[in-house]
């Protein structure tokens, strides 16, 4: 036998031996298979500053409040609280009654290994833990300066050899076993949103004490799922919490979610097990979705053209039973100026640059024409956006741009130094940078692109070492304050105001508006501030993106959302339909 | 006795090498790498929080104290805790070593056996059709970007044919087997070209030596000439090439682990770099340096085994 033939036989035999080494899908299993496109930093609620960690943490831990699963606009409802709080007339004191009988998950940290009941003191401890400077909590900003005496407690304890958690703080007190009282330093209605965020979820003192530094990998909460240990792997497997309280699927819904009521009144959670695959690369995740191994995933940019045509699924995907979910995201993309650089105090220069930028073309190139043009900073769907408002400086209007640039003192860009445009070092960011460079060239503004790895890019912004840079902001909570604060003077770098914009008039009006309770008057003030930022062109506002999610036909109750970190407890699998649909895969 | 003295002397080199490695990573981290505070504290960090974190991490101490700490870590192997995951770094290494080795181990063995066998084969048939085919395939393997090979492999073998897992990993034997086959096959393809070309050159260099001609003229069979004489005398460069790969096994496949969602040391190192997680970067760099020194010594010792003419001094 000739040598090449021998090789061929060996290769074929190898393939035959290994062929079929894949795991077969069991359609009878009520298991959710999800993807996390980023590494999970760990399971400490006070460090959950990214969306993906927040989603994982919310499978295990819970807070006082949550967003109603089937209502839009977002509506806060009680979770571990028995009811919404009683708020004093001056908007300073918030009193909560806690649900009784809620238990922490079983763990060796508790007497007899059985989780004990959650009490008001657990929230007092959790809030102080968030404030404790030794914990370096990424979520401290939600309470920084908000609760009476908490900043002072933090400051004082940072100088002591150990933090004194027994010292009373006026701003957060347990009045009795089930009554919790917050006192704010000044009225701040957005405070309630903080209580639905992972940062303020209830943790147990015993568990923190038992695991010490490793607490981050030993999540023990009150939530619907348990995870005995987090090994920082690429696959996180949760199982149903056997001691989870009786929590039911909602029975009321906004009109757009009426079709998601088939499980109304059923006890949560609805699936036995959740497997989260940490997959940073889109291609393997997309292939797994197409193989039926993942229950939903956002359509990657590179697969968009083949998967979706005219906002409809391709025939191939439709045959497999996929459902396309399109939902606006609470975010905004923008090109920011660093106002520490006096050059950008020239309003006409900023306006000229905005007029020169062809946003519709950018939308087509980078978002497959799926995004909404942003007129200012606040995302649509949040009170404070005038739907009919069009930013007069939104391009492309080249003649006007050139005229304004000349008025700004730089006819055809003459006399204007080359501007440095900082971007993170991803392919898409570079393409966006090059597009921006080309757009500015049309009016004679020269741009030099500087790309850096994400941490370095972030560091440069925080150190005010940038001139112009591209960024996106996703809402932490559904209130205009969360967007407007991006230009609030006291939030300058290293705070969230990376533009370092500091306008006393804007700051004053922002402070006044954000202290008001939700009302038409407050909405009008927000709208005014939003328009002010638009016409000041404090940034080149880009787009508000939309999520395009492909959902398996067997997945029940799903809808894309930015803020429901705890969504998985409501999701269900139609096993019969799964068995049928899998035949098409 | 000479050999032991040599080994001891070579091991002493660890000291200056580690001091140098510490200096390089320390300088790189402090002068080039971004401040980890911005990554660790998130988008709402304040100046006060940054200062507090610097203090907590010991970054506000004088540089010489921080450098001394790095040196101490290198010699005690007490790597401490990761700044991001807060896990004990040895625990992280233990958890990541298995998945990494489950790919790099078989890949190392298969790739080398395959490449050496192929090199012997083409050396045997030099200039003939087999040689030309392998040459073309080797150049193809070396020229096609590894990303393209991985993407095609996942799509074709994982999705279209459905014979391998596209990505993922399960701990424990044999659970991990279905997940490592595809990356191993693809990486054998990616790396065999360069390896085969190298081994072919080494073997051919030897095949044209006078003693080989003498052996042939004595009527010794071609197979015996190749295995008994040529292969044996080619062992020094082959051994160097093979052993130098061993320390890299523990580092895992930096790029592949991310694409195949393998929770190995390669993915861990990439994450550490992205998050400026200095203790983890430090641990992996020090372990690699020590690994290279140790395996360098092993290579030298093995030279004397395969070639008795060599002496260690």
């Amino acid at each position: 036998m000739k040598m090449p033939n021998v090789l061929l036989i060996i290769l074929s035999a190898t393939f035959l031996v290994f062929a079929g080494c894949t795991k077969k899908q069991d359609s009878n299993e009520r298991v959710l298979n999800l993807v996390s496109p980023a590494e999970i930093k760990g399971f400490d609620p006070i460090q959950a500053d990214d969306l993906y960690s927040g989603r994982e943490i919310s499978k295990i831990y819970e807070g006082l409040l949550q967003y109603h699963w089937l209502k839009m606009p977002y509506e806060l409802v009680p979770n571990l609280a028995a009811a919404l709080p009683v708020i004093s007339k001056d908007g300073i004191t918030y009193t909560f009654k806690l649900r009784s009988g809620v238990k922490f998950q079983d763990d060796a940290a508790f007497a007899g290994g059985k989780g004990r009941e959650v009490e008001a003191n657990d929230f007092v401890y959790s809030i102080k833990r968030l404030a404790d400077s030794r914990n370096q909590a990424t979520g401290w900003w939600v309470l920084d300066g908000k609760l009476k005496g908490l900043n002072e407690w933090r400051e004082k304890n940072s100088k002591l050899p150990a933090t004194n958690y027994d010292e009373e703080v006026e701003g957060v007190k347990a009045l009795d076993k089930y009554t919790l009282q917050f006192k704010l330093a000044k009225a701040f209605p957005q405070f309630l949103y903080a209580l639905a965020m992972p940062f303020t979820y209830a943790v147990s003192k015993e568990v923190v004490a038992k695991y010490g530094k490793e607490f981050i990998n030993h999540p023990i909460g009150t939530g619907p799922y348990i995870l005995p240990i987090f090994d920082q792997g690429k696959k996180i497997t949760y199982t149903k919490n056997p001691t989870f309280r009786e929590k039911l699927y909602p029975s009321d819904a906004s009109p757009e979610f009426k079709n998601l009521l088939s499980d109304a009144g059923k006890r949560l959670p609805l699936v036995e097990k959740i497997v989260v695959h940490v997959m940073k690369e889109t291609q393997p995740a997309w292939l797994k979705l197409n193989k039926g191994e993942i229950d939903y995933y956002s359509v990657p940019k590179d697969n968009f053209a083949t998967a979706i045509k005219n906002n409809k699924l391709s025939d191939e995907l439709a045959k497999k039973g996929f459902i396309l979910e399109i939902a606006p995201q609470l975010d905004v993309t923008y090109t920011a100026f660093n106002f520490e650089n006096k050059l950008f105090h020239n309003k006409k220069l900023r306006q000229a640059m905005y007029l020169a930028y062809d946003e519709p073309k950018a939308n087509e190139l980078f978002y497959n024409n799926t995004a909404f043009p942003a007129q200012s900073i606040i995302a649509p769907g949040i009170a404070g956006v005038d739907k009919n408002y069009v930013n007069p400086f939104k391009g492309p209007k080249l003649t006007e741009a050139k005229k304004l640039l000349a008025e700004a003192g730089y006819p055809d860009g003459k006399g204007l130094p080359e501007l440095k445009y900082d971007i993170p070092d991803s392919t898409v960011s570079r393409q966006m940078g090059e597009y921006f460079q080309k757009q500015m060239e049309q009016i004679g503004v020269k741009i030099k692109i500087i790309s850096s790895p994400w941490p370095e890019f972030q560091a440069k912004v925080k150190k005010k070492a940038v001139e112009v840079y591209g960024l996106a902001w996703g809402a932490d909570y559904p209130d205009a304050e969360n967007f407007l604060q991006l230009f609030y003077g006291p939030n300058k770098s290293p705070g969230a105001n990376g533009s370092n914009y500091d306008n006393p008039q804007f700051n004053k009006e922002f402070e006044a508006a954000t202290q008001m309770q939700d009302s038409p008057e407050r909405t009008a003030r927000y709208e005014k501030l939003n328009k002010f930022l638009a016409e000041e062109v404090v940034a080149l506002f880009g787009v508000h993106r939309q999520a395009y999610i492909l959902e398996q036909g067997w997945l029940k109750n799903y809808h894309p959302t930015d803020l429901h970190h705890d969504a998985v407890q409501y999701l269900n699998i139609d096993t019969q339909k799964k068995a049928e649909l899998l035949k098409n895969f | 006795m000479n050999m032991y003295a040599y080994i001891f002397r070579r091991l002493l080199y660890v000291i200056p090498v580690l001091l140098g490695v510490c200096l390089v990573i320390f300088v790189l981290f402090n002068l080039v790498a971004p401040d980890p505070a911005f990554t660790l504290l998130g988008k709402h960090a304040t100046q006060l929080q940054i200062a507090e974190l610097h203090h907590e991490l010991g970054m506000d101490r004088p540089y010489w104290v921080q450098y001394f700490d790095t040196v101490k870590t290198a010699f005690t192997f007490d790597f401490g805790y990761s700044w991001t995951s807060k896990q004990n770094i040895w625990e992280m290494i233990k958890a990541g070593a298995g998945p990494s080795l489950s790919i790099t181990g078989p890949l190392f063995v298969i790739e080398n056996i395959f490449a050496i066998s192929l090199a012997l084969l083409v050396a045997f048939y030099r200039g003939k059709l087999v040689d030309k085919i392998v040459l073309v395939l080797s150049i193809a393997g070396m020229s096609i970007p590894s990303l393209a090979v991985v993407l095609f492999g996942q799509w074709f073998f994982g999705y279209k044919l459905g014979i391998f897992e596209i990505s993922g990993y399960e701990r424990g034997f044999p659970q991990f087997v279905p997940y490592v086959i595809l990356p191993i096959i693809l990486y054998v393809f990616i790396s065999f070209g360069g390896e085969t070309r190298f081994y072919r050159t080494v073997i051919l260099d030897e095949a044209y030596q006078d003693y080989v001609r003498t052996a042939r003229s004595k009527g010794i069979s071609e197979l015996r000439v190749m295995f008994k004489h040529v292969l044996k005398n080619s062992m020094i460069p082959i051994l160097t090439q093979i052993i130098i790969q061993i320390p890299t096994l523990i580092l895992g496949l930096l790029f592949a682990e991310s694409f195949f969602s393998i929770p190995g040391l390669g993915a861990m190192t990439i994450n550490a770099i992205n998050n400026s997680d200095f203790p983890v970067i430090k641990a992996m760099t020090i372990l690699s340096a020590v690994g290279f020194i140790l395996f360098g010594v092993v290579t030298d010792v093995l030279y004397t085994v395969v070639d008795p003419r060599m002496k260690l001094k």
Side-chain angles (χ1 to χ4, degrees):
Chain A
M1 195 182 285
K2 285 182 181 174
M3 277 297 179
N5 292 348
V6 176
L7 261 179
L8 203 66
I9 291 169
I10 294 172
L11 283 174
S12 315
T14 317
F15 261 76
L16 283 173
V17 168
F18 292 137
C21 273
T22 51
K23 291 186 86 183
K24 296 279 170 268
Q25 284 232 65
D26 184 354
S27 56
N28 290 319
E29 262 191 327
R30 218 179 272 274
V31 179
L32 272 176
N33 280 285
L34 311 175
V35 170
S36 171
E39 298 288 338
I40 305 307
K41 288 184 190 165
F43 280 76
D44 189 342
I46 62 171
Q47 309 292 1
D49 74 319
D50 67 302
L51 177 67
Y52 306 108
S53 299
R55 281 182 182 165
E56 299 315 309
I57 282 167
S58 303
K59 294 178 176 78
I60 312 269
Y61 291 98
E62 293 177 294
L64 286 166
L65 302 175
Q66 63 182 346
Y67 294 101
H68 192 295
W69 176 236
L70 299 177
K71 293 232 175 126
M72 280 289 170
Y74 289 96
E75 183 183 315
L76 284 174
V77 290
N79 195 14
L80 291 186
L84 287 175
V86 176
I87 305 172
S88 63
K89 275 186 184 167
D90 58 3
I92 296 291
T93 309
Y94 289 63
T95 309
F96 281 95
K97 280 282 175 199
L98 260 60
R99 243 175 243 281
S100 61
V102 175
K103 288 192 171 167
F104 281 111
Q105 295 160 1
D106 293 344
D107 187 79
F110 300 110
K114 294 279 171 201
R116 63 160 174 81
E117 191 179 12
V118 177
E119 299 172 4
N121 263 324
D122 290 310
F123 279 99
V124 175
Y125 171 73
S126 303
I127 296 291
K128 284 182 178 169
R129 204 174 156 266
L130 176 60
D132 185 351
S133 65
R134 284 186 177 82
N135 293 329
Q136 302 295 343
T138 53
W140 165 236
W141 65 272
V142 294
L143 295 183
D144 189 4
K146 306 289 189 307
L147 294 178
K148 265 187 193 165
L150 192 61
N151 281 59
E152 291 77 2
W153 177 87
R154 174 186 164 96
E155 176 73 21
K156 184 179 157 192
N157 278 279
S158 69
K159 288 169 191 152
L160 299 177
T163 308
N164 179 10
Y165 279 86
D166 295 329
E167 187 187 335
E168 197 169 86
V169 174
E170 194 188 349
V172 53
K173 277 184 195 168
L175 301 185
D176 60 47
K177 194 175 173 185
Y178 298 115
T179 312
L180 179 68
Q181 188 186 68
F182 293 103
K183 275 196 177 167
L184 305 193
K186 60 180 181 186
F188 185 67
Q190 296 78 9
F191 171 67
L192 282 183
Y193 295 121
L195 302 179
M197 291 171 83
F199 303 129
T200 56
Y201 285 173
V203 300
S204 133
K205 201 173 183 173
E206 298 93 316
V207 179
V208 176
K210 180 173 166 60
Y211 295 108
K213 272 192 173 179
E214 290 268 356
F215 168 73
I216 195 165
N217 301 313
H218 290 267
I220 303 293
T222 59
Y225 290 96
I226 54 172
L227 177 71
I229 187 162
F230 175 53
D231 63 0
Q232 305 268 348
K234 301 278 181 193
K235 197 174 190 178
I236 312 169
T237 307
Y238 303 86
T239 49
K240 211 169 177 173
N241 172 11
T243 61
F244 190 55
R245 68 182 183 282
E246 190 180 4
K247 183 177 179 181
L248 306 178
Y249 190 93
S251 303
D252 53 339
S254 301
E256 67 267 43
F257 296 133
K258 291 279 184 204
N259 59 331
L260 303 183
L261 280 169
S262 65
D263 283 321
K266 283 189 186 164
R267 193 169 174 164
L268 299 175
L270 297 169
V271 298
E272 302 298 321
K273 199 164 117 181
I274 301 172
V275 181
V276 174
H277 306 264
V278 178
M279 299 178 80
K280 288 161 102 172
E281 304 297 338
T282 55
Q283 201 53 29
W286 177 249
L287 293 176
K288 273 174 104 73
L289 177 85
N290 277 277
K291 234 180 136 187
E293 293 176 5
I294 284 168
D295 292 314
Y296 66 85
Y297 188 64
S298 67
V299 183
K301 181 179 164 279
D302 294 339
N303 300 91
F304 200 90
T306 50
I308 294 159
K309 279 164 192 135
N310 300 325
N311 270 356
K312 280 189 180 158
L313 279 180
S314 70
D315 290 344
E316 191 197 345
L317 294 171
K319 267 182 208 158
K320 286 182 172 178
F322 279 110
I323 297 162
L324 176 65
E325 298 271 6
I326 306 171
Q329 291 179 268
L330 291 181
D331 74 357
V332 61
T333 66
Y334 61 101
T335 298
F337 303 105
N338 178 5
F339 281 85
E340 292 278 306
N341 185 337
K342 294 247 169 15
L343 189 71
F344 300 116
H345 291 198
N346 187 334
K347 187 155 94 175
K348 288 190 174 170
L349 169 65
R350 304 194 306 263
Q351 290 171 337
M353 286 173 76
Y354 201 21
L355 283 165
Y357 192 70
D358 187 346
E359 189 60 59
K361 184 74 185 164
N363 193 351
E364 188 189 318
L365 286 173
F366 304 114
Y367 304 104
N368 296 297
N369 247 339
T370 61
F372 299 115
Q375 309 301 334
S376 186
I377 194 72
I378 307 174
I382 292 180
V385 179
D386 177 353
K387 283 178 192 166
N388 302 316
Y389 176 74
V390 177
N391 190 322
F393 299 100
K394 206 161 177 67
K397 293 171 191 161
L398 278 183
T399 320
E400 280 179 55
K402 284 181 180 169
K403 192 176 156 229
L404 269 176
L405 190 64
E407 285 173 23
Y410 308 108
D412 296 322
K414 280 174 201 143
L416 184 69
E418 186 180 56
L419 302 178
K420 289 178 193 139
Y421 185 73
D422 271 273
I423 50 162
D425 65 355
S426 72
T427 313
V428 178
S429 297
R430 178 153 277 280
Q431 289 167 345
M432 286 177 165
E434 282 166 5
Y435 179 75
F436 182 73
Q437 189 180 41
K438 221 170 153 186
Q439 296 290 301
M440 293 303 115
E441 247 173 40
Q442 299 178 100
I443 55 166
V445 174
K446 290 187 187 72
I447 299 289
K448 184 183 178 187
I449 300 167
I450 298 170
S451 75
S452 329
W454 173 250
E456 199 180 323
F457 169 79
Q458 214 181 2
K460 285 176 88 174
V461 174
K462 297 277 183 192
K463 285 180 179 166
K464 304 178 183 174
V466 283
E467 285 185 356
V468 186
Y469 63 98
L471 205 66
W473 180 264
D476 296 298
Y477 42 81
D479 192 287
E481 180 266 349
N482 192 240
F483 286 93
L484 295 170
Q485 54 107 22
L486 296 173
F487 298 98
Y488 176 53
N491 283 358
K492 278 205 267 189
S493 284
N497 175 7
S499 302
N500 305 304
Y501 180 74
D502 193 358
N503 180 326
Q505 185 199 341
F506 175 81
N507 293 346
K508 200 176 153 193
E509 289 188 26
F510 171 83
E511 282 163 16
T514 53
Q515 286 183 33
M516 293 167 70
Q517 292 290 338
D518 188 9
S519 60
E521 196 197 339
R522 187 182 76 169
T523 303
R525 282 184 182 234
Y526 278 162
E527 279 180 11
K528 191 181 157 201
L529 287 167
N530 201 32
K531 281 180 196 167
F532 175 81
L533 292 178
E535 277 157 40
E536 275 281 297
V537 191
V538 292
L540 312 185
F541 302 107
V543 295
H544 304 291
R545 295 173 291 193
Q546 288 204 95
Y548 277 68
I549 311 271
L550 220 54
E551 172 193 345
Q552 300 286 4
W554 56 74
L555 184 64
K556 289 178 72 187
N557 309 333
Y558 175 75
H559 66 82
T561 167
D562 287 320
L563 299 177
H564 290 97
H565 296 303
D566 57 353
V568 287
Q569 62 189 314
Y570 305 104
L571 303 186
N572 204 351
I573 301 279
D574 184 336
T575 50
Q576 205 181 338
K577 201 168 180 186
K578 185 171 181 178
E580 278 168 32
L581 286 173
L582 274 178
K583 289 175 196 160
N584 303 330
F585 278 74
Chain B
M1 193 60 198
N2 254 350
M3 187 198 278
Y4 294 118
Y6 172 82
I7 294 173
F8 179 71
R9 213 170 52 241
R10 280 293 303 270
L11 288 178
L12 281 181
Y13 288 173
V14 170
I15 298 169
V17 170
L18 275 187
L19 285 173
V21 166
C22 289
L23 188 67
V24 170
I25 51 176
F26 183 77
V27 169
L28 283 178
F29 180 77
N30 282 287
L31 299 182
V32 182
D35 188 339
F38 300 114
T39 312
L40 295 173
L41 290 172
K43 59 185 184 181
H44 295 274
T46 62
Q47 201 62 57
L48 180 65
Q49 274 180 290
I50 291 168
E52 284 168 349
L53 182 64
H54 283 163
H55 181 69
E56 191 75 18
L57 300 178
M59 290 170 66
D60 55 352
R61 295 172 304 165
Y63 279 138
W64 69 269
V65 178
Q66 292 185 54
Y67 176 67
F68 181 73
D69 252 15
T70 308
V71 172
K72 199 173 133 198
T73 303
F75 286 94
T76 57
F77 289 128
D78 179 6
F79 299 125
Y81 286 79
S82 153
W83 284 351
T84 36
S85 73
K86 316 284 184 213
Q87 277 186 310
N88 181 299
I89 292 173
W90 271 116
E91 293 299 322
M92 289 169 76
I93 292 171
K94 271 193 250 167
S100 281
L101 285 171
S102 66
I103 294 185
T104 53
L107 175 62
F108 168 73
V109 174
I110 296 169
E111 176 195 320
N112 282 298
I113 291 177
F114 187 60
I116 294 170
S117 312
L118 217 53
L120 274 170
L121 181 83
V122 294
F124 188 81
Y125 288 106
R126 59 193 169 275
K128 302 226 169 97
L129 185 65
V130 185
D131 188 19
K132 285 173 186 162
I133 292 172
V134 172
L135 182 73
V136 170
L137 284 175
S138 300
I139 292 170
M142 289 160 74
S143 322
I144 302 172
S146 51
L147 175 64
V149 175
V150 170
L151 288 177
F152 175 79
Q154 286 182 323
W155 173 78
F156 187 69
F157 297 113
Y159 175 66
K160 274 283 167 196
L161 299 182
I163 53 175
F164 302 122
E165 290 292 340
I166 295 166
S167 77
Y169 193 82
E170 270 181 42
R171 291 185 191 275
F173 182 80
Q175 293 91 318
F176 72 74
V177 176
Y179 298 95
V180 299
I181 298 169
L182 186 58
I184 289 173
I185 291 176
L186 297 179
Y187 270 78
V188 165
F189 178 77
I190 289 165
S191 52
F192 97 95
E195 300 274 313
T196 307
R197 300 264 299 143
F198 173 79
Y199 293 132
R200 179 185 178 273
T201 310
V202 166
I203 292 167
L204 279 182
D205 270 358
E206 209 57 43
Y208 286 109
Q209 296 290 326
D210 289 344
Y211 74 90
V212 177
R213 200 178 310 121
T214 310
R216 282 199 185 109
S217 67
K218 282 181 178 173
I220 298 172
S221 75
E222 196 63 21
L223 272 179
R224 197 173 155 81
V225 168
M226 287 307 281
F227 284 95
K228 186 83 182 170
H229 298 282
V230 176
L231 183 60
K232 194 174 175 189
N233 285 302
S234 312
M235 280 316 276
I236 288 190
I238 291 177
L239 266 182
T240 314
Q241 173 76 1
I242 291 176
I243 296 176
I244 211 70
Q245 293 172 21
I246 296 176
T248 61
L249 299 184
I250 197 170
L251 277 173
L253 293 169
L254 297 178
F255 166 73
E257 286 185 0
S258 174
F259 248 89
F260 288 96
S261 299
I262 309 282
L265 297 177
M268 184 183 100
T269 309
I270 295 279
N271 273 342
I273 293 168
N274 286 337
N275 295 324
S276 298
D277 194 342
F278 188 44
V280 176
I281 299 171
K282 199 161 58 177
M284 294 308 289
T285 316
I286 288 166
L287 286 179
S288 309
V290 172
F292 274 105
I293 296 167
L294 291 182
F295 282 97
V297 177
V298 172
T299 314
D300 288 351
V301 173
L302 285 178
Y303 283 164
T304 63
V305 177
V306 295
D307 189 347
R309 290 169 301 176
M310 294 189 91
K311 292 271 182 287
L312 299 174
K313 286 183 180 173

